[in-house]
Amino acid sequence: MRTQMLPVGGNGSAEKLVRILFNHSHAYSSSECYFRNKEGFQHEGDVVIGVFFPVHTFYAGNKVPHPYLPYIYTDFRIQYNFKIYQLVLSLVFAIEEINRNPHLLPNISLGFDFYNVPYSERSILMNPLIWLTGLKNPYCNYNCVKERKSAAALTGPSWAKSAHIGTLLQLFNFPQLTVGPFDPIFSDRGQFTSLYQMAPKGTSLSLAMVSLMLHFGWTWVGLLVPDDHRGAQFLSDIREKMEKNQVCTAFVEMMQSSGASFPDKYWKTLGIIQESLANIIIIYGDNDSLQGLMRNLGQHILTRKVWVMTSQCDVTNIADYFLLDSFHGSLIFSQHHEQVAEFKNFIQTVNPYKYPEDNYLPKLWFLFFKCSFSELDCHLLENCHPNASLELLPKHIFDMAMNADSYNTYKAVYIVAHSLHEMSLQQAQMQPFRNGQKMVFLPWQLHPFLRNIHEGANMALEWKQKLDDDKYDILNFWNFPKGIGLKVKVGNFLPNGPQSQQLTLSEQMIQWPERYSEIPQSVCHENCGPGFRKISLAGKSVCCYDCTPCPDNEISNETGMDQCMKCPENHYAETEKKHCLKKAVSFLNHEDPLGMSLTTIALCFSVLTTVVLGLFVKHRDTPIVKANNRTLSYTLLITLTVCFLCSLLFIGRPNTTTCILQQITFGGAFTVALATVLAKAITVLIAFKVTFPNKVVRLLIISKAPNLIIPICTLVHLVLCGIWLGTSPPYLDKDAHAEHGHIILVCNKGSDFAFHGILGYLCSLALGSYIMAFLSRNLPDTFNEAKFLSFSMLVFFCVWVTFLPVYHSTKGKVMVAMEVFSILASSAALLGFVFAPKCYIILVRPDKNSIHHIRNRPYSRRNNPLKT
């Protein structure tokens, strides 16, 4: 099968980028040397570490069976994973660094035995058994290793392969250190008694991811997790965090581990991903559990989705770098680890001639630097580019920076070295070594020292990273320019920091998928904007809702508000319901059109009443003025002037004084006016209707006894007002609800009972006056005003009876205006009905206002006792 190569020119630049099969998995059928791969190699040392990593594996493309051998295929191909090979290089780097250190394991060199771990589960234990027994065809009952130099085994990064190997190693109580992601199943000391995990626990991963969702407002996300115990645990953790923060899952897909195959489950999952409104998809797992899914996601170029994943789910393992477009803009959570500065320098010096025992470096040079193999012994020839180096490879093929698994490998080697160092010091104290004598131990004797250092007892080690230090770096995957495959740190998450400072992001550095010109959105429903609130939908997730405007006098000044906020009493919600504005203080002002109109009417009527009074005074000796008791006419006119003017107390900014004066002046003036009309009506009735002797009638009229009605009625009114003011007087009040956006200053009556009692008293006076006037309407007097008095009282009564329901159905300035209008209307009725006919006669028909005219009338009485 053909693969691509990355030739390097003389200037160190890539001339062309070629196809790579699977997971940086490179398959060749044209070169026999490429397939001649030993299952392991050694780095000599006094004490060695057994290393088991899945760097390469053989697989059958079309599974063409061998004609004679069962279970053997003729179309075998080889698959390399150079990302895992970086772990081998970090192992070599750590061992060389330790061997150069005179203070750590002095006079003892550290080495390793590397063995490849095949992909097939049935072959996983083969190489560990070979290493343990020393036999090419191992038997568990035999051990051909005469002098064991092995201290511990290093496995990973796959948890499944580590678990398989662990079941074998614990039979020998052999120390095992794993460098893959932390797995809670390995913490079971009853099942894995000899296993130590290098990775931090990663308990804050779900919190870190949810914090990222909240930061960008992503509330509708999809989940892709492996269908195993790790996926179930992660799903439980992240769902708990999401529910607490109202982040919802659009879908959850549990994925079966499948290498190169693409079962129907993947087709279904791809359909769900493409149709979902969720633009953010969380992927949890590692390459073993999700490699088939990741490869096929890349093939479908899903450029409108943002993938949030862990560093173990490495997207740069996609075979064809053109498929990396699907993952451009992805956000990757990587457990924070220290960067070892010298590691890059070490990688720059690595080449096949420096490490001839390494059988993987020649493959890299063959693939990427145009090197060729000798046909005789498959050694690499000297026709390679002299400046060839791993640093020239694109980052999506080989990254110079130490990743989390590489750092855990580096750390594991140091833990073993320090444990051996502590053991050697203890042995030297108990029995000093003789010249040339080396440390002798059994692997299980290393456990106490491993536990002591692994659990953090030796805190003096500068390289030691606390296992509970659960920090995360947030990386952004860049694939623009195409094929760059770069991971750039754009933030971090510190679970132990203050909540507002846990997540730190440099948003300007983040590159999103090409279709997004700004931060992508991932919501079930667009956020409710200011002025709206959410309403939940029956049977739907809390993230799926409708938006409805805020109720009256409530606002929402942010997006995504669950409830609107009620404005304070002295504020109101503006039209868009986004802000509360301070209410303007308002009242029936003289400058308002309504206030100005009422003021003008009141002044005009008061001036008119004064003119009428002047006219009556000028013609005081004429029959029409004298005929109806001119003193009462003067009193009524003066009182009506006061009635018109008292309406001005209701207009303008009110205060406590004006509130009290309004009711006293209004009630008092109308009491006098109605009492005067009552006195007039009784005077006419006494003169014509009573059956007393003429002397008694004349005495009553001459003594002006009916005029006593005025002070009596006024005294009753003053008593009622005294009771009112003594119990619950009127006061200044604010009405914040009568008019939108305004606080209306109004006078509160204090006691509604007292106010209505005064109105009832005035209406009773009006009713009495109406009855008296009605009884004397047809009396044969020349200037009988009884009819006009009855009409005026009828209008007065109708005005105030109508006033009550209208008054109670209005609020604010309109209510005050209604009271002013009722005062003016009832006063104008008295003025018009009582005095307009008299003014007409005085001004227009003066001929009727003479003694001669009165005597010539057929219904004139000879004796007119009404003149005063």
Side-chain angles (χ1 to χ4, degrees), residues 753-778:
F753 179 78
F755 173 68
H756 290 92
I758 294 294
L759 285 183
Y761 175 64
L762 295 177
C763 288
S764 64
L765 288 178
L767 183 60
S769 301
Y770 173 76
I771 293 172
M772 293 301 171
F774 184 79
L775 293 175
S776 56
R777 69 189 184 285
N778 293 322

PDB file of all heavy atoms in Angstrom, residues 753-778:
ATOM      1  N   PHE A 753     -65.224  58.754  54.799  1.00  0.00           N
ATOM      2  CA  PHE A 753     -66.540  58.912  55.421  1.00  0.00           C
ATOM      3  C   PHE A 753     -66.851  60.381  55.675  1.00  0.00           C
ATOM      4  O   PHE A 753     -67.970  60.854  55.408  1.00  0.00           O
ATOM      5  CB  PHE A 753     -66.586  58.121  56.727  1.00  0.00           C
ATOM      6  CG  PHE A 753     -67.889  58.232  57.453  1.00  0.00           C
ATOM      7  CD1 PHE A 753     -69.003  57.496  57.049  1.00  0.00           C
ATOM      8  CD2 PHE A 753     -68.025  59.098  58.543  1.00  0.00           C
ATOM      9  CE1 PHE A 753     -70.216  57.618  57.724  1.00  0.00           C
ATOM     10  CE2 PHE A 753     -69.226  59.210  59.215  1.00  0.00           C
ATOM     11  CZ  PHE A 753     -70.330  58.460  58.808  1.00  0.00           C
ATOM     12  N   ALA A 754     -65.871  61.147  56.181  1.00  0.00           N
ATOM     13  CA  ALA A 754     -66.088  62.567  56.451  1.00  0.00           C
ATOM     14  C   ALA A 754     -66.327  63.340  55.165  1.00  0.00           C
ATOM     15  O   ALA A 754     -67.214  64.211  55.094  1.00  0.00           O
ATOM     16  CB  ALA A 754     -64.893  63.143  57.205  1.00  0.00           C
ATOM     17  N   PHE A 755     -65.515  63.007  54.111  1.00  0.00           N
ATOM     18  CA  PHE A 755     -65.667  63.699  52.837  1.00  0.00           C
ATOM     19  C   PHE A 755     -67.059  63.458  52.255  1.00  0.00           C
ATOM     20  O   PHE A 755     -67.735  64.397  51.819  1.00  0.00           O
ATOM     21  CB  PHE A 755     -64.584  63.215  51.871  1.00  0.00           C
ATOM     22  CG  PHE A 755     -64.748  63.727  50.472  1.00  0.00           C
ATOM     23  CD1 PHE A 755     -64.586  65.075  50.174  1.00  0.00           C
ATOM     24  CD2 PHE A 755     -65.075  62.861  49.422  1.00  0.00           C
ATOM     25  CE1 PHE A 755     -64.740  65.543  48.883  1.00  0.00           C
ATOM     26  CE2 PHE A 755     -65.228  63.323  48.138  1.00  0.00           C
ATOM     27  CZ  PHE A 755     -65.057  64.676  47.853  1.00  0.00           C
ATOM     28  N   HIS A 756     -67.474  62.196  52.253  1.00  0.00           N
ATOM     29  CA  HIS A 756     -68.807  61.902  51.719  1.00  0.00           C
ATOM     30  C   HIS A 756     -69.909  62.444  52.618  1.00  0.00           C
ATOM     31  O   HIS A 756     -71.009  62.754  52.154  1.00  0.00           O
ATOM     32  CB  HIS A 756     -68.967  60.391  51.528  1.00  0.00           C
ATOM     33  CG  HIS A 756     -68.118  59.850  50.409  1.00  0.00           C
ATOM     34  ND1 HIS A 756     -66.851  59.366  50.599  1.00  0.00           N
ATOM     35  CD2 HIS A 756     -68.353  59.736  49.064  1.00  0.00           C
ATOM     36  CE1 HIS A 756     -66.339  58.964  49.458  1.00  0.00           C
ATOM     37  NE2 HIS A 756     -67.242  59.169  48.489  1.00  0.00           N
ATOM     38  N   GLY A 757     -69.597  62.558  53.901  1.00  0.00           N
ATOM     39  CA  GLY A 757     -70.579  63.167  54.815  1.00  0.00           C
ATOM     40  C   GLY A 757     -70.811  64.629  54.494  1.00  0.00           C
ATOM     41  O   GLY A 757     -71.964  65.111  54.511  1.00  0.00           O
ATOM     42  N   ILE A 758     -69.723  65.358  54.196  1.00  0.00           N
ATOM     43  CA  ILE A 758     -69.850  66.771  53.806  1.00  0.00           C
ATOM     44  C   ILE A 758     -70.646  66.894  52.517  1.00  0.00           C
ATOM     45  O   ILE A 758     -71.534  67.762  52.386  1.00  0.00           O
ATOM     46  CB  ILE A 758     -68.463  67.410  53.662  1.00  0.00           C
ATOM     47  CG1 ILE A 758     -67.741  67.477  55.017  1.00  0.00           C
ATOM     48  CG2 ILE A 758     -68.560  68.799  53.054  1.00  0.00           C
ATOM     49  CD1 ILE A 758     -68.385  68.395  56.025  1.00  0.00           C
ATOM     50  N   LEU A 759     -70.310  66.004  51.522  1.00  0.00           N
ATOM     51  CA  LEU A 759     -71.068  66.048  50.274  1.00  0.00           C
ATOM     52  C   LEU A 759     -72.536  65.732  50.513  1.00  0.00           C
ATOM     53  O   LEU A 759     -73.434  66.361  49.912  1.00  0.00           O
ATOM     54  CB  LEU A 759     -70.478  65.024  49.275  1.00  0.00           C
ATOM     55  CG  LEU A 759     -69.157  65.386  48.599  1.00  0.00           C
ATOM     56  CD1 LEU A 759     -68.761  64.305  47.608  1.00  0.00           C
ATOM     57  CD2 LEU A 759     -69.275  66.727  47.876  1.00  0.00           C
ATOM     58  N   GLY A 760     -72.793  64.777  51.381  1.00  0.00           N
ATOM     59  CA  GLY A 760     -74.184  64.454  51.704  1.00  0.00           C
ATOM     60  C   GLY A 760     -74.896  65.629  52.365  1.00  0.00           C
ATOM     61  O   GLY A 760     -76.087  65.876  52.084  1.00  0.00           O
ATOM     62  N   TYR A 761     -74.185  66.310  53.233  1.00  0.00           N
ATOM     63  CA  TYR A 761     -74.770  67.490  53.895  1.00  0.00           C
ATOM     64  C   TYR A 761     -75.109  68.562  52.868  1.00  0.00           C
ATOM     65  O   TYR A 761     -76.203  69.169  52.907  1.00  0.00           O
ATOM     66  CB  TYR A 761     -73.794  68.006  54.943  1.00  0.00           C
ATOM     67  CG  TYR A 761     -74.229  69.290  55.614  1.00  0.00           C
ATOM     68  CD1 TYR A 761     -75.381  69.341  56.404  1.00  0.00           C
ATOM     69  CD2 TYR A 761     -73.495  70.461  55.447  1.00  0.00           C
ATOM     70  CE1 TYR A 761     -75.778  70.523  57.016  1.00  0.00           C
ATOM     71  CE2 TYR A 761     -73.872  71.652  56.055  1.00  0.00           C
ATOM     72  CZ  TYR A 761     -75.020  71.666  56.838  1.00  0.00           C
ATOM     73  OH  TYR A 761     -75.420  72.837  57.451  1.00  0.00           O
ATOM     74  N   LEU A 762     -74.192  68.838  51.919  1.00  0.00           N
ATOM     75  CA  LEU A 762     -74.450  69.844  50.895  1.00  0.00           C
ATOM     76  C   LEU A 762     -75.616  69.436  50.002  1.00  0.00           C
ATOM     77  O   LEU A 762     -76.467  70.268  49.635  1.00  0.00           O
ATOM     78  CB  LEU A 762     -73.193  70.057  50.044  1.00  0.00           C
ATOM     79  CG  LEU A 762     -71.963  70.654  50.766  1.00  0.00           C
ATOM     80  CD1 LEU A 762     -70.778  70.742  49.812  1.00  0.00           C
ATOM     81  CD2 LEU A 762     -72.290  72.040  51.317  1.00  0.00           C
ATOM     82  N   CYS A 763     -75.673  68.137  49.660  1.00  0.00           N
ATOM     83  CA  CYS A 763     -76.782  67.666  48.823  1.00  0.00           C
ATOM     84  C   CYS A 763     -78.120  67.762  49.571  1.00  0.00           C
ATOM     85  O   CYS A 763     -79.166  68.029  48.954  1.00  0.00           O
ATOM     86  CB  CYS A 763     -76.525  66.232  48.381  1.00  0.00           C
ATOM     87  SG  CYS A 763     -75.218  66.078  47.132  1.00  0.00           S
ATOM     88  N   SER A 764     -78.099  67.556  50.874  1.00  0.00           N
ATOM     89  CA  SER A 764     -79.350  67.694  51.644  1.00  0.00           C
ATOM     90  C   SER A 764     -79.812  69.142  51.659  1.00  0.00           C
ATOM     91  O   SER A 764     -81.019  69.420  51.565  1.00  0.00           O
ATOM     92  CB  SER A 764     -79.156  67.172  53.068  1.00  0.00           C
ATOM     93  OG  SER A 764     -78.200  67.963  53.764  1.00  0.00           O
ATOM     94  N   LEU A 765     -78.845  70.079  51.756  1.00  0.00           N
ATOM     95  CA  LEU A 765     -79.210  71.500  51.688  1.00  0.00           C
ATOM     96  C   LEU A 765     -79.778  71.827  50.304  1.00  0.00           C
ATOM     97  O   LEU A 765     -80.770  72.565  50.180  1.00  0.00           O
ATOM     98  CB  LEU A 765     -77.984  72.379  51.966  1.00  0.00           C
ATOM     99  CG  LEU A 765     -77.466  72.417  53.409  1.00  0.00           C
ATOM    100  CD1 LEU A 765     -76.218  73.300  53.497  1.00  0.00           C
ATOM    101  CD2 LEU A 765     -78.547  72.943  54.347  1.00  0.00           C
ATOM    102  N   ALA A 766     -79.130  71.257  49.263  1.00  0.00           N
ATOM    103  CA  ALA A 766     -79.621  71.504  47.909  1.00  0.00           C
ATOM    104  C   ALA A 766     -81.006  70.907  47.721  1.00  0.00           C
ATOM    105  O   ALA A 766     -81.892  71.522  47.089  1.00  0.00           O
ATOM    106  CB  ALA A 766     -78.636  70.913  46.896  1.00  0.00           C
ATOM    107  N   LEU A 767     -81.226  69.711  48.284  1.00  0.00           N
ATOM    108  CA  LEU A 767     -82.541  69.080  48.164  1.00  0.00           C
ATOM    109  C   LEU A 767     -83.598  69.890  48.906  1.00  0.00           C
ATOM    110  O   LEU A 767     -84.720  70.088  48.397  1.00  0.00           O
ATOM    111  CB  LEU A 767     -82.471  67.654  48.720  1.00  0.00           C
ATOM    112  CG  LEU A 767     -83.749  66.827  48.607  1.00  0.00           C
ATOM    113  CD1 LEU A 767     -84.147  66.671  47.133  1.00  0.00           C
ATOM    114  CD2 LEU A 767     -83.560  65.473  49.269  1.00  0.00           C
ATOM    115  N   GLY A 768     -83.249  70.413  50.099  1.00  0.00           N
ATOM    116  CA  GLY A 768     -84.206  71.252  50.844  1.00  0.00           C
ATOM    117  C   GLY A 768     -84.536  72.530  50.109  1.00  0.00           C
ATOM    118  O   GLY A 768     -85.709  72.948  50.039  1.00  0.00           O
ATOM    119  N   SER A 769     -83.484  73.138  49.529  1.00  0.00           N
ATOM    120  CA  SER A 769     -83.711  74.365  48.765  1.00  0.00           C
ATOM    121  C   SER A 769     -84.580  74.091  47.548  1.00  0.00           C
ATOM    122  O   SER A 769     -85.464  74.895  47.191  1.00  0.00           O
ATOM    123  CB  SER A 769     -82.376  74.974  48.322  1.00  0.00           C
ATOM    124  OG  SER A 769     -81.569  75.266  49.438  1.00  0.00           O
ATOM    125  N   TYR A 770     -84.326  72.931  46.916  1.00  0.00           N
ATOM    126  CA  TYR A 770     -85.118  72.573  45.730  1.00  0.00           C
ATOM    127  C   TYR A 770     -86.583  72.384  46.096  1.00  0.00           C
ATOM    128  O   TYR A 770     -87.473  72.843  45.367  1.00  0.00           O
ATOM    129  CB  TYR A 770     -84.551  71.292  45.118  1.00  0.00           C
ATOM    130  CG  TYR A 770     -85.402  70.747  44.001  1.00  0.00           C
ATOM    131  CD1 TYR A 770     -85.404  71.341  42.731  1.00  0.00           C
ATOM    132  CD2 TYR A 770     -86.232  69.649  44.210  1.00  0.00           C
ATOM    133  CE1 TYR A 770     -86.193  70.847  41.723  1.00  0.00           C
ATOM    134  CE2 TYR A 770     -87.039  69.149  43.198  1.00  0.00           C
ATOM    135  CZ  TYR A 770     -87.001  69.750  41.956  1.00  0.00           C
ATOM    136  OH  TYR A 770     -87.782  69.260  40.943  1.00  0.00           O
ATOM    137  N   ILE A 771     -86.829  71.727  47.215  1.00  0.00           N
ATOM    138  CA  ILE A 771     -88.225  71.494  47.633  1.00  0.00           C
ATOM    139  C   ILE A 771     -88.918  72.814  47.919  1.00  0.00           C
ATOM    140  O   ILE A 771     -90.063  73.056  47.490  1.00  0.00           O
ATOM    141  CB  ILE A 771     -88.252  70.571  48.858  1.00  0.00           C
ATOM    142  CG1 ILE A 771     -87.753  69.157  48.458  1.00  0.00           C
ATOM    143  CG2 ILE A 771     -89.656  70.491  49.439  1.00  0.00           C
ATOM    144  CD1 ILE A 771     -87.569  68.227  49.647  1.00  0.00           C
ATOM    145  N   MET A 772     -88.271  73.719  48.672  1.00  0.00           N
ATOM    146  CA  MET A 772     -88.871  75.009  49.002  1.00  0.00           C
ATOM    147  C   MET A 772     -89.124  75.830  47.734  1.00  0.00           C
ATOM    148  O   MET A 772     -90.172  76.462  47.596  1.00  0.00           O
ATOM    149  CB  MET A 772     -87.948  75.782  49.954  1.00  0.00           C
ATOM    150  CG  MET A 772     -87.818  75.144  51.324  1.00  0.00           C
ATOM    151  SD  MET A 772     -89.451  75.012  52.143  1.00  0.00           S
ATOM    152  CE  MET A 772     -89.021  74.016  53.552  1.00  0.00           C
ATOM    153  N   ALA A 773     -88.126  75.815  46.845  1.00  0.00           N
ATOM    154  CA  ALA A 773     -88.294  76.595  45.619  1.00  0.00           C
ATOM    155  C   ALA A 773     -89.385  75.998  44.739  1.00  0.00           C
ATOM    156  O   ALA A 773     -90.143  76.730  44.080  1.00  0.00           O
ATOM    157  CB  ALA A 773     -86.967  76.652  44.861  1.00  0.00           C
ATOM    158  N   PHE A 774     -89.463  74.656  44.716  1.00  0.00           N
ATOM    159  CA  PHE A 774     -90.471  74.004  43.901  1.00  0.00           C
ATOM    160  C   PHE A 774     -91.876  74.338  44.398  1.00  0.00           C
ATOM    161  O   PHE A 774     -92.803  74.564  43.604  1.00  0.00           O
ATOM    162  CB  PHE A 774     -90.239  72.491  43.925  1.00  0.00           C
ATOM    163  CG  PHE A 774     -91.182  71.741  43.037  1.00  0.00           C
ATOM    164  CD1 PHE A 774     -90.971  71.672  41.662  1.00  0.00           C
ATOM    165  CD2 PHE A 774     -92.312  71.129  43.570  1.00  0.00           C
ATOM    166  CE1 PHE A 774     -91.869  70.984  40.856  1.00  0.00           C
ATOM    167  CE2 PHE A 774     -93.203  70.446  42.759  1.00  0.00           C
ATOM    168  CZ  PHE A 774     -92.979  70.372  41.388  1.00  0.00           C
ATOM    169  N   LEU A 775     -92.070  74.414  45.735  1.00  0.00           N
ATOM    170  CA  LEU A 775     -93.379  74.717  46.300  1.00  0.00           C
ATOM    171  C   LEU A 775     -93.827  76.139  45.986  1.00  0.00           C
ATOM    172  O   LEU A 775     -95.032  76.421  45.920  1.00  0.00           O
ATOM    173  CB  LEU A 775     -93.360  74.495  47.811  1.00  0.00           C
ATOM    174  CG  LEU A 775     -93.180  73.034  48.270  1.00  0.00           C
ATOM    175  CD1 LEU A 775     -93.061  72.968  49.785  1.00  0.00           C
ATOM    176  CD2 LEU A 775     -94.327  72.171  47.773  1.00  0.00           C
ATOM    177  N   SER A 776     -92.843  77.040  45.786  1.00  0.00           N
ATOM    178  CA  SER A 776     -93.214  78.450  45.554  1.00  0.00           C
ATOM    179  C   SER A 776     -93.024  78.877  44.106  1.00  0.00           C
ATOM    180  O   SER A 776     -92.965  80.065  43.804  1.00  0.00           O
ATOM    181  CB  SER A 776     -92.360  79.351  46.460  1.00  0.00           C
ATOM    182  OG  SER A 776     -90.975  79.124  46.247  1.00  0.00           O
ATOM    183  N   ARG A 777     -92.968  77.898  43.196  1.00  0.00           N
ATOM    184  CA  ARG A 777     -92.655  78.230  41.817  1.00  0.00           C
ATOM    185  C   ARG A 777     -93.802  78.957  41.110  1.00  0.00           C
ATOM    186  O   ARG A 777     -93.562  79.718  40.182  1.00  0.00           O
ATOM    187  CB  ARG A 777     -92.294  76.960  41.045  1.00  0.00           C
ATOM    188  CG  ARG A 777     -93.465  76.007  40.825  1.00  0.00           C
ATOM    189  CD  ARG A 777     -93.018  74.685  40.244  1.00  0.00           C
ATOM    190  NE  ARG A 777     -94.140  73.806  39.940  1.00  0.00           N
ATOM    191  CZ  ARG A 777     -94.834  73.143  40.833  1.00  0.00           C
ATOM    192  NH1 ARG A 777     -94.546  73.276  42.125  1.00  0.00           N
ATOM    193  NH2 ARG A 777     -95.853  72.374  40.479  1.00  0.00           N
ATOM    194  N   ASN A 778     -95.083  78.716  41.520  1.00  0.00           N
ATOM    195  CA  ASN A 778     -96.230  79.287  40.807  1.00  0.00           C
ATOM    196  C   ASN A 778     -96.876  80.440  41.571  1.00  0.00           C
ATOM    197  O   ASN A 778     -97.994  80.823  41.257  1.00  0.00           O
ATOM    198  CB  ASN A 778     -97.284  78.197  40.560  1.00  0.00           C
ATOM    199  CG  ASN A 778     -96.762  77.141  39.579  1.00  0.00           C
ATOM    200  OD1 ASN A 778     -96.080  77.486  38.633  1.00  0.00           O
ATOM    201  ND2 ASN A 778     -97.131  75.887  39.824  1.00  0.00           N
TER     202      ASN A 778
END
